[in-house]
Every structure is written in structure tokens, then in C-alpha cells.
Amino acid sequence: MNEQSSQTTNTAATAALLFEAGALRNLPRTGWPYDGIPLSATETVAEHSHRTTVIGVALAAMEGVDPARTALLCALHDLHETRIGDQTPVTRRYVTTADPRKATADQLAGAHPAVGSTVAGAVEEFEEGRTLEARCARDADKLDCLYRALEYQAVGYPTGGKVERCRAALITDSARSVADAAAAMDPHQWQSTLLSAPATPASS
């Protein structure tokens, strides 16, 4: 295969990967029904990944590590679920699924080499959890679940101890402090506070 043909193949495989990533918009987070939430009311994996990324940026800044690297790990941490689905802790007690790194490698087959190394490296770092950025990203994953549980509770859904389980799994001091502050708030407090405050005048 000549260089031009190889580049065309790499570009096509990369384009296909991006279509695959969009499938996360239609993949529900399957753990919530175990906590009393109807499947019709659950979030998608893409929705979870978005706020996880924002939380990761905040935690990394608070911990004094690289927010951009943490954001990358958060954004990609569930990409493999297009292949193996959203496995709950209950499911994993009985069913053995592919390692996320193996699924990611298959997803990246044929993609542009720089794309492959970037994505695979981020997934490997998240799964190993050894760097400070990875610890922030893993905490962000749990902290988003905690936030969502609080939001479900606020509209009357039970969550079966989800807040407590997520809080117990947090590693960093920043994540624990944010979790405690969130648990003491009305999930809609940000909106009520905003609406009761005077608007900032527009600069001329």
C-alpha cells in the first residue's frame, strides 16, 4: 500500500471512530435501575462523560495537576462502552467482559497513528490510575454519579445508598470536599441563586 492509500485508509478509520463515539448518545447508563431509577429516566453514557470531564477539570485545578490531561482521560474513559456496553458492578460479578484497553485497541485499528497513540495512551493511564491526573479523572467519574444521585433524590427517586457508595470510593481530598459540599446543597441551588442575584452589567 502506498503512502497516499495508507493515509486515505487511516482517515476513513478515524472518521468511523468518530461516528462510533456518537453512539454513546444512545447508550443508557444501566446501573441506575438497580438504585430504583426507571430506565426511561436514566442518563446516557455521553451525558455522564460530559460532566465527568468538567468535574475532572475542576478537581485537577484544585489538586494542582494538569486539567487538560485530566479532561482528556475523562472524555475518553467510557469510549469502549460502544463495544461492550455499560457494565454494572453486579454484572461484573458474573460476566467477564473485555478489558477496556483491548476494546479500545480494536476501536483504533486502522485509525491515524497519532489518534491511536493519543487515545490508547489516555485509556491506559485512566485504567491504571497511577498518575495524579488519572486519580482526579477516576474521582470525577464517581463524583458525577454522586451528583446524579443527588439530582434524582431531589425529584423523588430513591437511589439505594448511591451517594454514600460514591463518596466512599473517592481518593482525592478535593473530590471528598466537593462531594460533602454538594450533599449539603439543593441540586437546583445554582439556578435559584443565579436568578435572585443582580445581573452583571454588560461591558461597553
Side-chain angles (χ1 to χ4, degrees):
M1 182 182 294
N2 61 40
E3 183 176 351
Q4 184 175 359
S5 296
S6 178
Q7 289 176 350
T8 300
T9 300
N10 291 344
T11 301
T14 302
L17 172 68
L18 302 182
F19 272 124
E20 181 174 348
L24 295 177
R25 291 173 172 159
N26 301 314
L27 183 64
R29 294 264 289 167
T30 56
W32 289 113
Y34 289 99
D35 296 298
I37 313 301
L39 190 59
S40 60
T42 63
E43 63 189 339
T44 67
V45 174
E47 290 168 330
H48 161 68
S49 294
H50 174 262
R51 186 163 58 183
T52 295
T53 302
V54 177
I55 293 171
V57 169
L59 295 182
M62 294 170 72
E63 289 288 315
V65 299
D66 186 357
R69 183 66 186 175
T70 305
L72 179 66
L73 305 188
C74 292
L76 298 173
H77 82 285
D78 279 340
L79 181 61
H80 63 278
E81 292 188 359
T82 61
R83 302 284 176 106
I84 67 173
D86 180 40
Q87 304 296 324
T88 71
V90 172
T91 303
R92 287 193 292 269
R93 292 189 66 176
Y94 304 100
V95 178
T96 301
T97 60
D99 186 295
R101 288 162 284 202
K102 170 63 167 62
T104 301
D106 289 347
Q107 288 176 308
L108 297 170
H112 189 286
V115 174
S117 62
T118 297
V119 175
V123 172
E124 176 76 19
E125 184 176 346
F126 180 88
E127 291 299 321
E128 289 191 349
R130 294 176 184 172
T131 66
L132 292 173
E133 287 81 3
R135 291 171 192 158
C136 286
R138 292 167 75 93
D139 271 0
D141 183 29
K142 296 298 183 185
L143 196 50
D144 177 67
C145 291
L146 182 149
Y147 264 72
R148 197 70 184 114
L150 292 171
E151 290 163 347
Y152 281 134
Q153 286 180 2
V155 294
Y157 287 120
T159 57
K162 191 80 164 184
V163 171
E164 293 75 17
R165 292 196 300 274
C166 290
R167 172 63 174 78
L170 298 174
I171 301 169
T172 64
D173 290 339
S174 296
R176 288 191 288 264
S177 66
V178 170
D180 293 341
M185 296 173 63
D186 176 344
H188 301 104
Q189 182 176 342
W190 71 269
Q191 183 176 1
S192 60
T193 301
L194 173 65
L195 294 176
S196 63
T200 302
S203 57
S204 56

